[in-house]
Amino acid sequence: MTYSNQEVAELFSMGKFDEVIKYFNDTIVWELIGESTFEGIDAVVENCKLVAEYFKSVETDFRTNDIFVSDNKVIVIGSAEFRQNGKVIDIISACDIYVFNSDIEIEKISSYCISNKTN
């Protein structure tokens, strides 16, 4: 199955990395704003694996609030709630900005994640 830029972005933002790895450009850059940057397909895939393992260890509720699409950019705005043993352990607001090339490959992802959990 071939996905559009929007579909690729939505799947990635929902943590469905395995479905979109084939859409990564070899020189992809994933910047987690204020945290870290992963450069190149190997580094990005490795981080996707780590994030996917975390997602398997918790219950997740991802919600997409809005999507903006232009020629080669997609912005996904959403939120996620993470639970463990029935307790909310984190709630985040997120914005992922994707830049695609003409081959529907992701060249860059800029991710903004803000924790809203109050103890």
Side-chain angles (χ1 to χ4, degrees), residues 27-43:
T27 60
I28 187 172
V29 175
W30 182 11
E31 182 179 7
L32 301 169
I33 307 301
E35 293 181 33
S36 50
T37 301
F38 303 93
E39 297 183 21
I41 193 166
D42 292 339

Side-chain angles (χ1 to χ4, degrees), residues 83-103:
R83 294 178 173 268
Q84 200 165 46
N85 300 323
K87 290 186 168 187
V88 174
I89 57 173
D90 203 3
I91 300 169
I92 64 161
S93 294
C95 177
D96 294 321
I97 303 165
Y98 299 86
V99 178
F100 290 84
N101 64 22
S102 60
D103 295 323

